[in-house]
Amino acid sequence: MPSIEKPPIQHPGLRRNSLGLTIHDYEGSMSTLCAGCGHDSVTAAIVHALWEMETPPHRIAKLSGIGCSAKTTAYFARGAHGFNTAHGRMATIATGAAAANRDLLYIGISGDGDSLSIGLGHLAHLIRRNVRMVYIIENNGVYGLTKGQFSPSADVGSTTKRGDPNQVPPIDPMSLGLSLGATFLARGFSGDKRQLVPIIKAAAAHRGLALIDVISPCVTFNDHEGSTKSYLFTRHHDTTATESDFVPPAPEIVASIPVEGVVSVTMHDGSVLRVRSVPDDYDPTDREGVAEHLRRAHAAGDVVTGLLYIDESSADLHEMHDTTDQPLRDIPFSQLCPGSAVLAGFGVR
Amino acid sequence: MVLERLAPETAHRGKSRVVDLAIKLANVNGTGSSSANNLLMQAFFRMGLPVSGKNLFPSNIQGLPTWYEIRVNGSGHTARVSQFDLMVAMNAQTHAQDIREVRAGGYVVWDSTWPLDQSAMRSDVSYLGMPVAQMCNEAFRSPRARTLMRNIVSCGAVVALLAIDLDIVSNLLAEKFAGKDTLRESNQHALMLGYEYARQHFDCPLPCHVHVMDGNAGAILIDGNTTAALGFLYAGATVAAWYPITPSTSLMDAFTQLCRRYRRDPETGRNSYLILQAEDELASIGIVIGASWNGARAFTSTSGPGISLMNELIGLAYYTETPVVIVDVQRAGPSTGMPTRTQQGDILTCAYASHGDTKHILLFPGDPAECFDFAVRSFDLAERFQTPVMMLSDVDIGMNDWVIPQLTWDDARVPDRGRVLGAKELEKRIEAYDRYANPDSDHVVARTLPGVDPKGAYFARGSGHNEHGGYTETPEEYLEVVDRLASKHAAAAMRVPDPQIESRGARVALVTVGSCGPAVREAIELLDAQGLPLDYMRIRAFPFSPAVQDFLDDHDTCFVVEQNRDAQLRSLLVLETAVPKDRLRSVLAYGGTPLSAGEVVDGVRAQMET
Ligand SMILES: Cc1ncc(C[n+]2csc(CCOP(=O)(O)OP(=O)(O)O)c2C)c(N)n1
Ligand code: SF4
Ligand SMILES: [Mg+2]
């Protein structure tokens, strides 16, 4: 992500997608985050994924709460509407937005404080309602914007910059998601764009809520020795559960060759997600098995990354409510108002 | 003088042929008394008599005392009264208290299966004992029927005592139990048991009885939560979010039923609505903001505690200029307060809900007819001014049945969706779109909706922003936006409902709001009869329209009648109009029961005489 302003003229050799847009067209305003902040790398991955997905920018709606992470929504897709809401409440506003128009791509960006502390209740219910959207937690173990207090994702024993250890157990959004019936769970690392981009693309094609926990170090308040959310710690303890390859909907039918150890999931829009398990026995469709794997890895101090769990068969918010295919906000008034004759029938007389 | 000792509204009773009757039915919650109460209400209504029913119920599912008060008044005064002509005292727990509320010369119907507590006896009322429980035990076999039918048996006695048209009551039973013959028959049997018993044992009808009138032509009987739900249906609301709370729950229940009926495609079974029972009120308002930002008409309904929780996001909607509609069916606070009792205690908290400088548009319906009308208008105002609109109803309007003119709808009516730039306008646009620049004469700037056109994109934020929508901490840029918001709120004064004014050129006036209207208008008649002419104004919205200021200017003294301890409407008038503070006096009643004319008369006289 640019942290110094770019000249307005685009390089003529820059590649264009089928909409004729270059990667710069998916960028936003200049980042005001600290140099080296993990959140800017997440932005770069989002920009890359959106450009590759060839989503018209105005068909995206960006939402966030409050925090350094929440500012990220301003730094990508300048052609999209954005809503920087209130601390912890983005999930509710996204739910309402998705209710009104089922046809847009909703991207919510949150922080570990925003989602796991003040907004934990809303996140839980967003998962239960399976609202179709991409929900990214830029997880740095601290409250960046309020200057480095522990967040609920801080591990026991992880220390502040001054050396004070955290004593209360962390909330892991992935384990939480598994227990609440989440239908898409993935963990990435801001330092690994190669892994993150296909995950974001798959998340955007998912039928319901896609929750992505991205370890995104805070260089200013939580990148020291003793932190378990630093660049160094994450690099050393990252264990990959799966590697994902995202194949967009193909115009012609391609025979898919089954590969051993690869799970192919056909996504809602017809695209195919190929997930290769790194430990041979890892099954991203087995809720109990994944939960057990995460428990064991956590006990061993490992950070498991990759597409962790997927269920493409459960109904999303709109399917549960049997709403019309036409977005609610587009239904003409004449179809919504029952008219004078009906009204005359109300009340006891 | 006599007027001061007797409850004033009873003093003029019985002087003319005009029917004026108040009865109260005392029961135990959860014993099925509401169907008998409704039966009587509807019978009076069908006889063409102006009538009102006030349900005083506990925050409880079973076992606590519950009362139903019916007032029938040929002149159309249907506010609550505090003294009753007839008490149907079916709850032994509350006999003493209930019998105290009977006017001198009134009557008590009681269940003589058991002896009456002698301490409750009064020499100035007549006791009409009827062995209701015993009669039911003999007539019905199932324990459930034996309990439920007691209400219908006593209802039968009331029908005979008050000369209520028996055919009308029987027809109501037939309509209610259409297709359920056994139920209809047992109810009719119970009704006749009580009816015949009363005819044989008491002097029927009592001197205070009713006769057919023609007072309800073109009228219906309905509660305000149902009419508000209808209003939202007719306004084209497609998204609603709520968290259960008395007394607003029945509003969303009604909206849900209406949507199932009128918003489900009969062929495909697909719905043109989405109602979410949220995890809390923070989520309810968040969902409404998201849906409105995205172009749907969305609302939430709640009560005081929910408003408290919504405060932060109400400020977000205000500052990002997102239309939202909130109904607050007010109940007695603070805190959990008395959830089933009425009050007007949220006026100030709603007027300025949220932190920082915030001011909102409030609508104050006075009856179920205005609940319908204002529900429809709330969306037009919210979208025209791109701001939260709160409709403040209360337990009395929302949950009690009122006689109102039949609801009407103009099929040519189109909603005012406010200024929104559509695809066509955006496509041909050359200059960049600025979310908060170039306001119209109402100080409103056209908005754009997500997903329509790349040229319409902007970034909405609750943080400081300039007229382009960009982040700012620069004083001038910040002021430009917040000052426009203040002007916008002021401009809304020209478009909100005007006050209801009844003027006879008096120097002193009663000013009131919401459900207090009927009691205050009756009080004006009573005080006039005592030689004190008064003008009347019922405020229907905030910001106050110029007519409010003019009315205050035209009177030396205004008594502001409202149902809260802290004189909230009076405070708002002092803050938001130029009226000198000492010209406004207060008459306050906030014990949780619907207002009676007697309370108003007493309150005014006490201050006039000092
Ligand atoms: C209601 C409310 N309480 C407190 C705050 C102050 N606040 C702003 S951001 C933040 C924490 C952000 O932490 P996180 O979500 O982890 O984001 P990060 O800055 O680490 O990316 C807090 C407590 C606020 N904006 N609103
Ligand atoms: S304080 Fe931390 S989280 Fe915030 S911008 Fe700086 S590095 Fe990023
Ligand atoms: Mg954080």
Side-chain angles (χ1 to χ4, degrees), chain B residues 158-175:
Chain B
V158 173
V159 170
L161 287 166
L162 300 180
I164 298 170
D165 189 322
L166 184 61
D167 287 343
I168 288 182
V169 182
S170 300
N171 283 341
L172 283 165
L173 283 177
E175 286 166 33

Side-chain angles (χ1 to χ4, degrees), chain A residues 39 69 111-114 138-144 151:
Chain A
H39 301 350
S69 40
D112 39 327
D114 198 57
E138 296 181 341
N139 189 345
N140 54 16
V142 288
Y143 294 172
S151 88

Side-chain angles (χ1 to χ4, degrees), chain A residues 14-319:
Chain A
L14 221 47
R15 278 169 55 212
R16 294 180 181 274
N17 64 15
S18 70
L19 301 173
L21 300 176
T22 71
I23 200 143
H24 293 325
D25 294 317
Y26 288 89
E27 289 173 348
S29 59
M30 194 180 61
S31 170
T32 57
L33 302 180
C34 306
C37 174
H39 301 350
D40 276 338
S41 307
V42 180
T43 303
I46 295 170
V47 168
H48 198 100
L50 291 174
W51 177 73
E52 285 189 359
M53 281 156 50
E54 316 194 311
T55 313
H58 75 284
R59 301 299 290 171
I60 301 166
K62 314 173 287 181
L63 296 113
S64 59
I66 294 293
C68 296
S69 40
K71 296 183 178 188
T72 311
T73 35
Y75 310 147
F76 65 89
R78 72 169 70 80
H81 270 66
F83 203 155
N84 188 193
T85 67
H87 196 26
R89 313 293 164 216
M90 178 266 281
T92 69
I93 289 160
T95 301
N101 186 353
R102 61 190 302 173
D103 282 354
L104 303 183
L105 169 59
Y106 296 94
I107 301 181
I109 310 287
S110 184
D112 39 327
D114 198 57
S115 276
L116 304 179
S117 206
I118 193 166
L120 182 64
H122 301 314
L123 175 62
H125 293 277
L126 184 79
I127 293 171
R128 292 180 57 234
R129 293 189 186 105
N130 207 20
V131 176
R132 190 180 297 169
M133 71 179 292
V134 179
Y135 190 109
I136 296 175
I137 301 176
E138 296 181 341
N139 189 345
N140 54 16
V142 288
Y143 294 172
L145 194 59
T146 52
K147 296 190 182 292
Q149 303 82 0
F150 279 128
S151 88
S153 72
D155 289 307
V156 173
S158 186
T159 59
T160 60
K161 242 178 152 174
R162 279 177 27 211
D164 307 325
N166 171 46
Q167 303 189 29
V168 286
I171 298 174
D172 169 25
M174 298 291 99
S175 305
L176 182 80
L178 284 169
S179 72
L180 292 171
T183 53
F184 184 114
L185 294 165
R187 178 145 48 216
F189 170 40
S190 64
D192 188 351
K193 188 171 158 192
R194 198 188 55 83
Q195 181 192 44
L196 194 50
V197 170
I199 287 177
I200 294 170
K201 286 158 70 179
H206 176 57
R207 186 176 174 186
L209 178 78
L211 183 61
I212 311 175
D213 178 32
V214 185
I215 308 301
S216 174
C218 168
V219 289
T220 306
F221 298 112
N222 204 16
D223 199 31
H224 45 269
E225 200 178 320
S227 159
T228 60
K229 294 275 188 297
S230 64
Y231 279 110
L232 203 66
F233 184 93
T234 310
R235 284 218 173 87
H236 284 168
H237 294 80
D238 185 342
T239 66
T240 309
T242 61
E243 280 170 0
S244 313
D245 186 13
F246 184 77
V247 189
E252 77 270 30
I253 315 265
V254 219
S256 74
I257 306 144
V259 184
E260 217 178 327
V262 172
V263 180
S264 283
V265 185
T266 305
M267 307 298 284
H268 182 74
D269 63 355
S271 51
V272 177
L273 176 65
R274 289 203 193 114
V275 187
R276 192 174 72 81
S277 302
V278 175
D280 281 347
D281 58 346
Y282 190 90
D283 177 1
T285 63
D286 169 11
R287 195 179 287 275
E288 290 311 313
V290 172
E292 182 52 31
H293 185 91
L294 291 187
R295 259 194 302 276
R296 260 189 265 124
H298 186 257
D302 287 340
V303 184
V304 186
T305 59
L307 185 281
L308 302 182
Y309 179 76
I310 185 160
D311 159 16
E312 206 55 18
S313 65
S314 294
D316 82 334
L317 173 79
H318 280 283
E319 291 164 337

